Amino acid sequence: MFNLSIALEYNSVRFPKKKAFIQDDKSISFDEFNRITNQLANAILDIGIKPGDKIAIQCPNIIEFPIIYYGILKMGGVIVPLSIFLKKDEILFFLKNSQTKMFFAYQGNKDLQIYKEVSSSIKTYKNLSKLIIIENNDLERIHPSKLIISYNSFLNNKSELLEFYPSDPSDTAVIIYTSGTTGDPKGAELTHSNLGWNANLTADLFEFNIEDIVLTVLPLFHIYGQSCLMNASIFKGLTNVLLPRFDPNLVLNEIKKNNVTVFAGVPTMFWSLCNIHELEKIRYSESKNQRWRIAISGGAALPVELLNKFEKYFQVPIYEGYGMSEGSPLVSYNHPGYKRKIGSVGFPVWGVKVKIVDKNDKPVSNGKLGQLIFKGHNVMKGYFNNQEASKKALKGGWMHSGDLAYKDDDGYYFIVDRIKDVIIRGGVNIYPREIEEVLIKHPKISLVAVNGIYDERLGEEIKAYVVLKKTEKLRPEELQNWVKKKVASYKYPRHIEIVNNLPISASGKILKRLLNK
């Protein structure tokens, strides 16, 4: 027997009065958190939902998210976290694909009307027994119906006593959908064991201690924030500060106000922090109550130039690593206390094996490029209701990542690119990240993405999409002449487009599939 919620019950006894979550001017102690999750679990069971049933959550980083998440775990349900930015057709796809029977959704706000999209999506979905709406008091009240009920009404008068469901470690706890950067999303089934090991090793890896305060602005509907921040904090008994949306100034304010020591983000977040007004950076660096001790980067490759710039500004080390939804998510990381190789994703986390293999799954020698595959307690059960995709991804228990990488002689891994992103120009392989690492060093460039576009003669040609720093101007021809001197003649971008922004997913990844549209 192992249910992920056992960590919450344990720490509600150890630290009953300690704040588990802070959000704006609200907070909840570990004891209160435990009792409310019991109420929610009882409420779910009372309407006839059974252990193993799928329950969706579409909610930003507010206190209700972890309450719903752990309430579902306690009654034995399977959590299906959904991005708050989905539109009605996308929501319908996820509900049908996951066979969801119950749905918790935040009402939204003036700019993001979640309930409007949800209510449209469920009109043609007949498998839903109840929709629970977390209301926003600033918006018009939603009228209850047989199907729809408010979150507060749902919890009303429910018992705070519950024995959590005795899940098997191999039972599915969460179906986390891949971001869909290269096609239709697939639902990775992560077990109680997968997530328990990953939360625990995250806390050990980054040496979390009971004095740490974690800031979570990474979306909790994504595996990175969910496992490495929310679950890891609950496993260790840490206070977690929730921020519903990313804004670099808000992040720095929360770090100062709440004495935050741990922050995790994706490269676009570190880029934004580096690009805030100089006065804000000066105010932060002069703050006397600064306790921020570590920054953690994942989700996408972190340009070396960006890492160096961030550490210079904020005097906080970034530890970069590698993970994916199918790996619960941590696979490989630069470990604090060990040699940190900037530009690498470190070496495998505890209990995980990693190999670099060729097209025939044969190991390649150090320094040679191949596909990164991994095996261990972190590997998903499979893709829900998708046997063909599961069989393709999981061979002999090894998860095939689809990422090109190499290992050096010290055992450190370096991610080069997604296999699908490799540009084949006239029969020669070109790796977009290599070109991006060069372009980002230009003093006028703030953000860049490189992709392949169709070319009649060569098959593919290289195109760079460039975001300039504020007030800067740069002609594509100037940039092309600059980069020609930095890379081999066959590698420089023949096409350069100056853009105001790049398409970014809810989890902060640049969506390369949308660049050429």
Side-chain angles (χ1 to χ4, degrees):
M1 180 192 80
F2 176 71
N3 187 303
L4 197 60
S5 67
I6 198 169
L8 168 57
E9 300 223 340
Y10 178 62
N11 283 317
S12 70
V13 175
R14 288 176 76 206
F15 312 114
K17 302 302 179 187
K18 185 176 182 179
K19 291 179 180 177
F21 291 96
I22 298 170
Q23 181 225 326
D24 297 328
D25 58 350
K26 298 181 290 185
S27 66
I28 185 170
S29 71
F30 273 95
D31 177 61
E32 291 171 318
F33 181 34
N34 188 53
R35 287 188 282 110
I36 297 173
T37 55
N38 285 345
Q39 283 185 296
L40 189 115
N42 282 320
I44 294 171
L45 290 167
D46 284 351
I47 63 166
I49 298 294
K50 296 179 175 58
D53 284 344
K54 317 300 187 299
I55 304 173
I57 314 176
Q58 192 176 18
C59 181
N61 290 13
I62 56 177
I63 284 175
E64 286 79 5
F65 189 104
I67 290 171
I68 296 165
Y69 185 99
Y70 274 82
I72 296 170
L73 288 175
K74 283 189 170 187
M75 56 71 56
V78 177
I79 303 159
V80 183
L82 301 180
S83 166
I84 60 174
F85 302 106
L86 298 176
K87 300 300 183 184
K88 63 178 183 178
D89 290 341
E90 295 169 310
I91 295 169
L92 183 60
F93 167 82
F94 288 117
L95 295 180
K96 284 183 174 179
N97 189 269
S98 63
Q99 300 170 9
T100 286
K101 288 193 175 180
M102 187 178 182
F103 196 172
F104 288 86
Y106 181 60
Q107 185 177 357
N109 54 42
K110 287 184 291 185
D111 300 319
L112 188 65
Q113 297 186 26
I114 299 171
Y115 174 70
K116 180 182 176 183
E117 300 295 335
V118 169
S119 58
S120 297
S121 72
I122 63 174
K123 286 178 181 176
T124 56
Y125 185 64
K126 306 301 181 186
N127 199 35
L128 201 65
S129 62
K130 199 69 72 176
L131 171 62
I132 313 299
I133 296 295
I134 306 152
E135 293 185 295
N136 181 342
N137 293 331
D138 294 333
L139 299 181
E140 186 178 341
R141 186 172 178 271
I142 294 170
H143 295 291
S145 66
K146 187 177 179 181
L147 178 66
I148 301 169
I149 186 171
S150 76
Y151 173 79
N152 290 333
S153 298
F154 186 63
L155 286 181
N156 197 29
N157 296 324
K158 298 302 177 185
S159 173
E160 294 180 353
L161 299 175
L162 175 84
E163 284 192 21
F164 65 77
Y165 181 76
S167 304
D168 188 86
S170 63
D171 286 347
T172 302
V174 175
I175 297 176
I176 195 87
Y177 278 87
T178 58
S179 58
T181 54
T182 55
D184 283 340
K186 300 182 289 291
E189 288 193 77
L190 303 180
T191 67
H192 286 266
S193 176
N194 287 150
L195 294 169
W197 277 113
N198 235 266
N200 204 40
L201 72 84
T202 297
D204 287 344
L205 173 63
F206 299 113
E207 299 171 346
F208 288 177
N209 63 76
I210 58 171
E211 302 300 322
D212 272 324
I213 297 173
V214 176
L215 176 60
T216 301
V217 68
L218 287 166
L220 290 174
F221 53 75
H222 187 263
I223 191 60
Y224 184 11
Q226 188 186 124
S227 183
C228 300
L229 298 181
M230 181 181 74
N231 289 342
S233 296
I234 290 170
F235 263 65
K236 198 70 179 179
L238 309 185
T239 298
N240 201 310
V241 180
L242 300 177
L243 196 56
R245 66 182 181 87
F246 177 79
D247 176 278
N249 293 309
L250 284 176
V251 165
L252 289 188
N253 286 339
E254 291 293 330
I255 288 173
K256 288 187 287 185
K257 183 174 78 174
N258 290 296
N259 293 317
V260 166
T261 59
V262 178
F263 171 79
V266 293
T268 50
M269 291 179 181
F270 292 108
W271 169 78
S272 295
L273 286 165
C274 286
N275 282 279
I276 60 174
H277 197 280
E278 288 298 323
L279 279 176
E280 287 298 324
K281 283 184 280 201
I282 292 169
R283 286 190 194 115
Y284 172 76
S285 63
E286 291 176 347
S287 174
K288 293 181 180 178
N289 66 343
Q290 184 193 137
R291 293 182 60 227
W292 189 5
R293 68 172 183 85
I294 189 171
I296 304 164
S297 180
L302 181 71
V304 174
E305 186 76 7
L306 176 56
L307 181 146
N308 291 331
K309 188 185 292 185
F310 175 86
E311 293 189 349
K312 178 184 174 184
Y313 283 150
F314 296 102
Q315 299 297 301
V316 176
I318 297 181
Y319 287 88
E320 185 184 7
Y322 170 78
M324 60 192 304
S325 297
E326 294 88 340
S328 306
L330 296 193
V331 175
S332 176
Y333 248 90
N334 277 280
H335 291 48
Y338 291 81
K339 181 179 180 181
R340 183 177 60 144
K341 287 200 177 187
I342 294 178
S344 84
V345 294
F347 53 91
V349 297
W350 186 91
V352 175
K353 293 180 179 180
V354 175
K355 289 197 299 189
I356 307 297
V357 298
D358 62 18
K359 291 179 181 178
N360 299 312
D361 277 1
K362 301 295 183 186
V364 301
S365 55
N366 290 350
K368 296 286 187 182
L369 279 181
Q371 181 178 189
L372 185 148
I373 65 175
F374 59 92
K375 185 178 188 178
H377 54 69
N378 62 336
V379 174
M380 67 171 181
K381 216 174 180 178
Y383 293 116
F384 180 69
N385 210 20
N386 195 334
Q387 201 170 12
E388 185 180 342
S390 300
K391 190 176 178 181
K392 187 177 179 181
L394 298 169
K395 299 172 189 172
W398 290 89
M399 176 66 205
H400 288 60
S401 69
D403 287 311
L404 273 172
Y406 67 90
K407 182 175 77 169
D408 71 9
D409 290 335
D410 294 327
Y412 284 67
Y413 289 83
F414 293 77
I415 304 297
V416 174
D417 239 313
R418 290 290 295 167
I419 290 173
K420 291 181 179 179
D421 288 344
V422 172
I423 301 165
I424 304 175
R425 181 180 183 271
V428 179
N429 287 2
I430 296 165
Y431 306 103
R433 187 184 175 191
E434 181 186 357
I435 313 303
E436 290 163 356
E437 289 278 5
V438 173
L439 289 169
I440 198 68
K441 291 178 181 176
H442 192 286
K444 293 185 178 181
I445 289 179
S446 179
L447 195 62
V448 64
V450 170
N451 216 1
I453 60 171
Y454 173 74
D455 182 84
E456 186 177 0
R457 183 172 71 89
L458 296 169
E460 279 189 295
E461 192 52 274
I462 308 162
K463 182 171 182 179
Y465 300 80
V466 175
V467 178
L468 299 178
K469 292 178 181 176
K470 289 179 182 176
T471 73
E472 294 287 4
K473 292 183 179 179
L474 182 67
R475 290 183 296 112
E477 310 87 73
E478 291 178 79
L479 179 57
Q480 197 171 63
N481 289 331
W482 180 86
V483 76
K484 272 183 186 180
K485 300 172 185 176
K486 310 285 183 184
V487 300
S489 59
Y490 65 90
K491 290 182 182 177
Y492 77 85
R494 267 57 175 184
H495 303 269
I496 295 175
E497 184 177 345
I498 309 296
V499 296
N500 293 325
N501 51 60
L502 296 173
I504 293 175
S505 74
S507 58
K509 294 180 184 178
I510 295 172
L511 295 170
K512 289 197 171 185
R513 65 184 170 86
L514 299 181
L515 287 174
N516 299 339
K517 290 188 176 180

